[in-house]
Amino acid sequence: MNTRERVVGIFRDIFDDPSLEISDQTTAADVDEWDSLAHINLVVAMEKEFKIKFALGELQAMRNVGDMMALIEKKTNTL
Amino acid sequence: MIASDLLDTICAKNRRQQKKLSAFLEGTPAAVEDLDRFLRTYSPYLESRGVGVVELADAYLQMLDEMLMARIHFTQTNEYPRKSQAESLEAVYQDPDLMTRYMLGLALSQFLWEHHYRLLSFFRRSLDDLPSVKRCLEVGSGHGLYSLEALARLPSLATYDIVDISQASLDMTRGILQIIHPEASAKISFVLGDVGQFRPTVAYDYIMMGEVLEHVEQPLEILVSLRHALQENGRLFVSTCVNSPAIDHVYHFRSVDQIRSLLGAAGFVIQTELIAPSENVDAARLERYKLDISYAAILSASSEPRGKIT
């Protein structure tokens, strides 16, 4: 699976919705259940799945799922 | 500065906060009115420090981000990020800019977060039940909000001692009180130091210690010393939290029962208490995700402390 497929899989698992559709432009405003707890669970799951650590500045700079995926790609390609 | 401007600024910068704040504040107009009063009260202090709407919103959001990182660490390790008071002192309390920002964010949370607003309401009611308090000790004034409430609601206050480990917190509290209550603040004794080393010279009929126990390594020792500082019929207000990682939290309370046991071991009787989970979820979800629970109690001194937690 590529990065996008793995990220979408995590979103579907965290929000318990196998049909959840995510795009690069998706933000917390687009997903009803995306609250602080879900956000933390997403970050923890991403870090575990991709074996990376997000810095505070990186999390603050993320505006949407596209930014998240780009950062994951960057971090995993430099490993 | 008015509440709507501040809320609009916060929500524009953070969509998750927009959801959370809307859910609480739309159903609790009293909290918005209270926030307005708070901002009006603090405005002279904020203006004197060059803190406008944007700076205040940023302080709140920065606090949230730091709590997010602490919560991520906690989720992964089941431990608070800080291991000792010395770590907190070096990383947080001795950084005046960070502390000022952090305290402003926490002050706002008293009105923006339902569980903190419930704590504040509980504290206010406790003061209203004690109009004849003459000698008050406050441990950990932090943002000064509770100090303001004490001065407003304790008309018979003759002695008011405030102990805080952070110079920035004392400066903020003193700065606010000097503006709002210039005469009363002149009589307040501000003591910089660790409450563990504080040796009171009087017995107090009211002690308030909000959000301190989770910051210290030996909360039982602190409580025992405060029990000895309390007059026979005195009351102690205490608040703390369960499963609440933060940049300066050291002692991890894992349950409300653990807190109650500690209070009993220190020789206190719980007169009334408040348990306020941070999220409106069922107990199973609260436990599964180890979500924050705020706890507050009004205590009276009982017999000699057992000295151990059972």
Side-chain angles (χ1 to χ4, degrees), chain B residues 48-59:
Chain B
S48 71
R49 300 285 183 292
V51 177
V53 170
V54 173
E55 290 80 15
L56 193 55
D58 285 344

Side-chain angles (χ1 to χ4, degrees), chain A residues 15 27-36, chain B residues 11 14-26:
Chain A
F15 292 107
T27 69
D30 303 312
V31 183
D32 275 346
E33 293 78 24
W34 191 341
D35 56 13
S36 298
Chain B
C11 293
N14 188 310
R15 290 305 183 97
R16 292 194 313 278
Q17 274 300 291
Q18 184 175 21
K19 287 185 194 178
K20 186 177 178 71
L21 297 181
S22 297
F24 169 52
L25 297 176
E26 283 173 8

Side-chain angles (χ1 to χ4, degrees), chain A residues 28-29 31-37 39-41 43-44 47 53-56 59-60, chain B residues 15-20 61-62 65-69 71-72 75-76 279 285 289 291:
Chain A
V31 183
D32 275 346
E33 293 78 24
W34 191 341
D35 56 13
S36 298
L37 176 59
H39 190 73
I40 288 163
N41 290 336
V43 170
V44 169
E47 288 189 346
K53 280 282 183 205
F54 293 115
L56 176 56
L59 292 174
Q60 289 172 323
Chain B
R15 290 305 183 97
R16 292 194 313 278
Q17 274 300 291
Q18 184 175 21
K19 287 185 194 178
K20 186 177 178 71
L61 292 171
Q62 181 70 19
D65 285 339
E66 286 160 353
M67 284 188 173
L68 170 70
M69 296 304 285
R71 173 54 66 166
I72 290 170
T75 302
Q76 294 167 331
E279 305 283 342
R285 194 170 168 84
Y289 292 107
L291 300 178

